[in-house]
Amino acid sequence: MTAPADVLRLLLEKEKTVATAESCTGGLLGKLLTDVPGSSAAYLGGVISYTCPVKERLLGVDPETLRELGAVSKPVARQMAEGARTRIGADFGVGITGLAGPDSDGSGKPVGLVYVALAGDGWTVCDELHLQGDRAAIREAACGRALQMLADALA
């Protein structure tokens, strides 16, 4: 996993900021970033949007998209990232939604299906991940991918 300290160093070097919107990771990405001393210079904050109403109200995720595709979908991850970026006022926004298990949510989507999105000014990318392991391993791997995406965007 790309070290959070390395991502923060890149953000500071480029004078950029990031905000997060997390569902299945429950704030783990924000924790990893804020564990680094001085992170407040680049990490502006985050939303743990564990429910659909919070995704709608705080991040501006389209309720119709949530109804049609469910919370675990590429469009929702993209909208979460874009909402975090614009509503918190950061240069980058990260959105993570998925199923960390141990059980599925009844949607028929498998445990380990996670979408990680990164939004910048005028662009958004999203990766679909099929992760293995227990709940902790899935959450850590999702955060690792988010950190790598952010590092790549800053390189």
Side-chain angles (χ1 to χ4, degrees), residues 69-103:
L69 301 176
V72 180
S73 64
K74 187 175 278 194
V76 169
R78 292 172 61 92
Q79 290 177 36
M80 288 171 63
E82 292 162 1
R85 188 184 81 75
T86 59
R87 292 183 177 212
I88 295 176
D91 296 300
F92 295 100
V94 176
I96 304 173
T97 185
L99 295 166
D103 301 315

Side-chain angles (χ1 to χ4, degrees), residues 11-75:
L11 285 163
L12 292 170
E13 285 175 5
K14 306 273 185 175
E15 298 181 353
K16 300 293 182 185
T17 57
V18 66
T20 56
E22 300 181 67
S23 187
C24 67
T25 49
L28 180 59
L29 181 59
K31 181 213 179 296
L32 292 170
L33 291 168
T34 58
D35 279 348
V36 179
S39 59
S40 62
Y43 178 67
L44 300 186
V47 173
I48 300 171
S49 56
Y50 215 58
T51 65
C52 289
V54 172
K55 287 174 179 66
E56 292 174 31
R57 284 194 310 269
L58 296 184
L59 299 170
V61 174
D62 180 22
E64 189 170 318
T65 302
L66 287 164
R67 275 193 303 278
E68 289 179 7
L69 301 176
V72 180
S73 64
K74 187 175 278 194

